[in-house]
């Protein structure tokens, strides 16, 4: 069975014949494949095979297809995600010396772990076959060779003398001499010493990679060459996780759920439905950016708005229908680069031709410039759903928000997410909250009441889920007297925003930063604030996830301080090519590397996520959905936050950034908004 056959079989398990024909007749879902469909009376299997052939012919077999399938059949998201991994990735086996029986752990183990997670982040499907005595030769067995594209050998001096590795080499050479297919062999050499014994003839057609440079350079080289390999054919697979979280292969067995395809509407017209999670209008015209001296003026035109996005499903369908089409994505990328060059002070020339890119209005937040422990830092959260990466305290507008007043909803989102404490969180020990006070003219008491209201839900959940007693004064505290609130001062940005309301009346908002994002179809308004923290202050994530059934759960995004000096280093100051994008839908920005001294983790939520994922703390009874979310985070990003012992570690911080955050940080660096 080829992968094309496997994808057709997956479609058969998800949809009936009439559903599949409907989905394959519109660009909003699978694509306009009407010309490729068989006659009406054809079987479901023939229809599915024709749909897959049409998708392949039109180059639509990409990540956006699988995102659309997940939106349509969320109950089968696991099988769809696994098929996506098989279709879009290269399967890589890691072979390394575990040091079993030697009384010590060789460096090969740490290198294998680092490479495995780095290649997984790049989209490859990586699993390990440690060559212990019990597994000698197992990497050369038929099941490995028929389902993997490459074997990556971590070669050190100890590995070259390893008995199990030499046994594996003998088995592989015997299969090669017998004419059996063997995967490509890639060797990451940790030691210049030539391999000995049975490993030497195996190196004859291997590609050698030296590991004397940076780990990122080694990963880049491996990633580049893996992408040139043709993937092997195999059946659809599920994943059985090993101790390190890398997948082994097992067949998928799922049946089609009852019921029709859910109706996905990219836009909700006219009114805001009761199920609305947020309210973001679709702008009919492109924003403009004008230069006057050292100031920039951004204009957003809401006149004639007729459409809006209210739910995550609608937003995801919008992403898939736009960013999943090559021509539309290329047009969006050209505009994204032009806007960013303009907003960072460059001269990108005349704007490209404007397609009807459905930009969402609006979202917002703050860029806090924090003086803490004698350095300037920016507190950021790590987002573990697309788009992945470090993100400022920000979010989308609520249905009740005034869309002419981004300063208000930007501040509300920040107040809801930033929980600043005096001291390290400890169960059973009351801690004082430090309220973030931003006086927008309503007076200090009103500003304080707003801050208290924003944190009421997360404070209650922290007590219920974590045993943390947090308060802003009346609650008993280990601090006597209670610490003072945090007074934030606005920072000038020399960028002004003007919003033309539905009635054509303009409203001006001076000194903000604006992310104009055709590549993630959004506009974000960011206020820049400066504040001082004491050395013992810590930060928790205050965001609360409200599920469709009304239950509430802490999001627990990992929180870090990232030094402004590092941000100034990793984001280029000016020019058209300021950001490096991943290929996801929607994409993230890759900017790094970040060093251990550049990042400080507040470890409470990192440890709690691991406890929830592994069920390792007595008394924890989290929602199964929360446990699954934490497990997925560990599998995708664990080594970026945890060491081998499961403790928070900044040894290898993640270099992915949410697009809006990357844009405004690059603008702040270019326009010298920071310290």
């Amino acid at each position: 069975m080829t992968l094309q056959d496997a994808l057709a079989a997956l479609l058969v398990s998800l949809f009936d014949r009439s559903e599949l024909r409907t989905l394959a007749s519109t660009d909003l879902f699978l694509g306009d494949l009407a010309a490729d469909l068989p006659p009406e009376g054809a079987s479901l299997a023939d229809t599915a095979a024709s749909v897959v052939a049409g998708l392949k012919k039109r180059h639509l077999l990409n990540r956006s297809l699988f995102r659309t399938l997940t939106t349509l059949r969320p109950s089968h998201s696991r099988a769809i995600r696994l098929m996506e991994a098989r279709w879009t990735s290269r399967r890589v086996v890691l072979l390394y010396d575990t040091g079993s029986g030697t009384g010590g752990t060789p460096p090969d183990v740490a290198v294998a772990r680092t490479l495995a997670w780095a290649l997984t982040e790049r989209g490859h499907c990586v699993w390990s076959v440690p060559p212990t005595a019990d597994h000698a030769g197992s990497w050369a067995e038929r099941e490995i060779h028929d389902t993997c594209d490459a074997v990556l050998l971590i070669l050190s001096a100890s590995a070259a003398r390893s008995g199990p590795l030499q046994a594996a080499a003998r088995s592989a050479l015997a299969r090669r001499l017998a004419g059996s297919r063997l995967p490509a062999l890639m060797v990451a050499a940790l030691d210049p010493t030539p391999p000995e014994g049975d490993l030497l003839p195996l190196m004859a057609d291997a590609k050698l990679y030296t590991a004397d440079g940076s780990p990122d350079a080694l990963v880049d080289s491996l990633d580049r060459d893996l992408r040139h390999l043709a993937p092997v054919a195999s059946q659809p697979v599920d994943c059985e996780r090993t101790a390190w979280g890398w997948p082994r292969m097992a067949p998928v067995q799922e049946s089609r759920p009852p019921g029709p395809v859910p109706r996905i509407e990219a836009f909700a017209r006219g009114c805001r439905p009761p199920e609305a999670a947020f309210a973001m209008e679709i702008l009919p015209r492109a924003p403009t950016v004008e230069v006057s001296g050292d100031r920039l003026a951004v204009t957003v035109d809401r006149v004639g708005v007729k459409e809006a996005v209210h739910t995550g499903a609608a937003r995801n369908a919008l992403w898939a229908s736009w960013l999943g089409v090559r021509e539309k994505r290329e047009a969006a990328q050209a505009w994204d680069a032009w806007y960013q060059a303009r907003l960072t002070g460059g001269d990108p020339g005349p704007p490209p031709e404007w397609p009807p890119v459905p930009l969402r209005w609006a979202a917002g937040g703050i860029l806090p410039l924090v003086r803490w422990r004698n350095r300037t830092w920016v507190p950021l959260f790590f987002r573990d759903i697309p788009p992945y990466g470090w993100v400022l305290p920000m979010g989308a507008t609520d249905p009740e928000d005034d869309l002419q007043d981004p300063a208000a909803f930007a501040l509300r989102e920040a107040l809801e997410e930033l929980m600043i404490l005096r001291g390290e969180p400890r169960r059973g020990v009351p801690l004082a909250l430090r309220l973030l006070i931003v006086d927008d003219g309503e007076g200090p008491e009103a500003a304080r009441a707003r801050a208290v209201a924003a944190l009421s839900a997360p404070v209650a959940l922290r007590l219920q889920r974590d045993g943390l007693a947090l308060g802003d004064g009346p609650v008993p505290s280990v601090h006597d007297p209670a610490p003072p609130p945090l007074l934030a001062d606005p920072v000038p940005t020399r960028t002004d925003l003007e919003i033309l309301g539905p009635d054509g009346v303009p409203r001006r908002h001076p000194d903000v930063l604006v992310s104009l994002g055709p590549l993630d179809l959004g506009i974000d308004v960011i206020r820049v604030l400066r504040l001082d923290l004491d050395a013992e202050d810590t930060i928790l994530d205050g965001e609360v996830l409200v599920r469709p059934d009304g239950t509430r759960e802490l999001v627990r995004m990992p929180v870090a301080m990232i030094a402004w000096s590092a941000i100034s280093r990793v984001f280029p100051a000016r020019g058209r090519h300021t950001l490096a994008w991943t290929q996801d839908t929607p994409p993230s920005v890759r900017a790094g590397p970040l060093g251990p001294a550049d990042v400080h983790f507040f470890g409470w939520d990192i440890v709690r996520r691991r406890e929830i994922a592994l069920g390792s703390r007595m008394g924890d009874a989290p929602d199964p959905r929360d446990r699954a979310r934490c497990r997925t985070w560990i599998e995708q990003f664990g080594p970026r936050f945890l060491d081998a012992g499961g403790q928070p570690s900044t040894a290898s911080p993640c270099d992915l950034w949410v697009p809006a955050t990357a844009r405004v940080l690059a603008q702040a660096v270019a326009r010298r908004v920071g310290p």
Side-chain angles (χ1 to χ4, degrees):
M1 177 183 284
T2 66
L3 278 176
Q4 191 167 328
D5 296 332
L7 181 56
L10 178 63
L11 294 179
V12 168
S13 73
L14 296 177
F15 310 111
D16 62 30
R17 185 177 59 186
S18 62
E19 291 170 342
L20 192 55
R21 295 185 71 91
T22 299
L23 294 172
S25 301
T26 170
D27 278 331
L28 180 58
F29 296 106
L30 303 186
D32 188 0
L33 308 175
D36 300 302
L37 294 178
E40 285 284 349
S43 67
L44 174 58
D46 289 343
T47 302
S50 299
V51 168
V52 173
L55 291 169
K56 184 175 182 181
K57 180 172 69 176
R58 287 168 170 76
H59 306 288
L60 296 176
L61 287 172
N62 51 32
R63 293 186 184 278
S64 67
L65 167 69
F66 295 100
R67 298 291 187 270
T68 301
L69 293 178
T70 302
T71 301
L72 296 171
R73 283 287 188 244
S75 60
H76 278 47
S77 60
R78 178 178 172 81
I80 296 167
R81 187 168 62 249
L82 294 168
M83 174 56 71
E84 177 187 6
R86 293 291 286 169
W87 188 277
T88 61
S89 68
R90 302 297 182 266
R91 275 73 67 193
V92 185
V93 169
L94 276 182
L95 184 66
Y96 59 96
D97 178 19
T98 62
S100 299
T102 64
T105 302
D108 308 38
V109 176
V111 173
R113 183 183 179 93
T114 299
L115 291 181
W117 285 103
L119 290 174
T120 299
E121 281 191 341
R122 303 291 180 91
H124 303 289
C125 186
V126 183
W127 71 98
S128 64
V129 184
T132 62
D134 295 334
H135 292 91
S138 64
W139 73 293
E141 293 298 325
R142 181 180 182 278
E143 66 174 273
I144 296 297
H145 289 156
D146 287 352
T147 58
C148 80
D149 302 297
V151 171
L152 174 56
L153 172 63
I154 310 298
L155 183 60
S156 64
S158 65
R161 297 188 295 270
S162 167
L165 274 177
Q166 296 201 11
R170 284 193 296 270
S171 176
L173 286 171
R175 291 185 58 79
R176 189 187 296 275
L177 292 174
S180 299
R181 176 197 178 277
L182 284 174
L185 181 62
M186 313 172 86
V187 179
L190 305 184
D191 191 283
T193 306
E196 302 175 358
D198 291 334
L199 286 181
L200 188 57
L202 192 60
M203 301 296 108
D205 59 353
K207 183 161 185 181
L208 187 67
Y209 301 81
T210 59
D212 54 356
S214 70
D216 288 337
L218 175 59
V219 171
D220 287 341
S221 298
L222 291 168
D223 173 56
R224 180 182 63 249
D225 291 344
L226 283 169
R227 293 183 185 279
H228 285 88
L229 296 177
V232 299
S234 63
Q235 62 182 2
V237 294
D238 200 345
C239 291
E240 174 188 344
R241 299 291 171 180
T242 66
W244 280 4
W246 306 339
R248 292 183 182 276
M249 303 297 116
V252 163
Q253 294 182 349
E254 282 200 68
S255 59
R256 180 169 59 86
V261 175
R263 186 182 180 192
I264 301 296
E265 294 197 22
F267 316 113
R269 298 176 182 270
C271 62
R272 295 170 179 172
E275 70 273 14
F278 41 73
M280 290 187 286
E281 297 177 340
I282 304 300
L283 298 179
R285 285 170 292 279
T288 63
V289 182
E290 301 294 336
V291 180
S292 177
D294 67 343
R295 298 195 74 86
L296 297 176
V298 179
T299 301
V300 170
D301 187 353
R302 297 177 59 215
V303 176
V305 167
K306 297 179 180 178
E307 299 170 324
V309 173
H310 300 290
T311 66
R315 179 195 57 199
N316 294 344
L318 185 66
W319 278 337
S321 64
W322 250 91
L323 302 178
V325 179
R326 185 182 63 184
E327 293 80 6
K328 293 180 178 179
R329 188 179 182 118
E330 289 175 349
Q333 188 161 357
W335 262 99
D336 206 294
W338 188 89
Y339 273 138
Q340 187 63 9
R342 191 78 160 167
L343 289 168
T344 52
D347 182 9
E353 183 179 353
W354 176 256
V357 177
L359 285 180
R360 296 168 289 129
W361 171 263
I366 69 169
L367 165 52
L369 299 174
V370 177
R371 192 67 184 173
W372 182 67
R373 298 184 181 178
N374 299 318
R375 296 178 70 183
T376 299
W377 307 77
V378 176
L380 293 128
F381 305 89
F382 189 82
R383 180 181 168 96
D384 61 357
I385 58 175
Y388 303 107
W390 296 110
V391 62
L392 292 166
M394 59 194 297
T397 49
D398 288 342
E400 299 79 17
D401 286 332
D402 179 2
L403 298 187
Q404 287 288 97
D405 190 7
F409 60 70
L411 180 58
R412 186 205 60 239
E413 289 296 320
L415 293 177
E416 290 176 350
E417 294 185 11
L418 277 172
M419 296 186 72
I420 303 174
L421 316 178
R422 173 59 59 85
E424 291 287 340
R426 288 173 289 170
R427 292 183 181 91
V429 178
L431 291 175
L433 283 171
R434 299 200 67 188
L435 298 178
L436 180 59
I437 305 298
V438 182
D439 189 350
D440 282 339
E442 74 274 51
E445 289 304 317
R448 177 187 175 87
R450 178 175 55 195
V452 171
L455 292 175
S456 60
V459 164
L461 284 172
R462 286 290 179 180
L463 179 61
Q464 179 184 351
R465 302 283 198 271
D466 291 358
L468 295 180
L470 308 176
D472 64 323
V475 175
S477 171
V478 295
H479 305 287
D480 188 17
L486 295 165
L487 303 179
D489 297 320
V491 177
T493 66
R494 305 188 310 284
T495 299
D496 305 323
L497 172 66
E498 184 174 84
I499 308 167
L500 297 178
D503 55 2
V505 176
R507 186 166 178 179
R508 183 173 177 271
H509 299 271
D511 289 313
V512 295
L513 293 175
V514 184
S515 166
L516 298 176
L519 262 181
D520 55 342
L521 307 181
I523 301 176
D524 297 79
V525 181
I526 304 298
R527 301 176 63 177
V528 184
L529 301 176
R530 181 177 286 112
L531 61 151
D532 295 332
L533 296 186
D534 293 336
E536 62 268 37
D537 289 341
T538 61
I539 302 177
L540 295 179
D541 176 22
E543 186 173 1
V544 174
L545 174 66
V546 182
R547 301 189 184 277
D549 59 7
T551 58
R552 294 177 172 236
E553 192 56 69
L554 293 165
V555 175
R556 302 182 187 280
M557 285 189 288
V559 188
M561 287 285 204
I562 298 184
W564 182 256
S565 58
I567 290 172
S568 301
R569 185 184 71 247
V570 302
F571 286 104
R574 294 179 184 274
R576 179 182 295 272
H577 303 290
T578 56
L579 300 175
W581 298 93
T582 68
Q583 296 304 308
D584 300 310
T585 300
S588 298
V589 171
R590 190 175 295 278
L594 297 172
D598 300 329
V599 181
H600 176 90
F601 287 154
F602 296 109
W604 177 269
D605 279 327
I606 296 174
V607 172
R608 286 294 288 133
R609 277 183 166 234
R610 181 178 181 274
E611 290 175 346
I612 292 169
L614 303 180
S616 60
R617 180 174 177 268
M618 296 297 293
D620 263 350
D623 188 303
R625 295 166 295 186
D626 193 35
R627 174 165 291 177
R629 184 169 58 88
C630 292
R631 284 177 175 171
T632 300
W633 168 75
I634 283 186
E635 290 166 1
Q636 289 183 300
F637 302 107
R640 298 298 192 179
F641 294 90
L642 297 163
D643 61 19
Q647 295 303 306
S649 171
T650 60
S652 182
C654 190
D655 61 354
L656 295 177
W657 304 76
V658 169
T661 295
R663 292 189 191 98
V664 298
L665 290 176
Q667 292 174 33
V669 170
R671 295 179 60 73
R672 297 181 176 86
V673 173

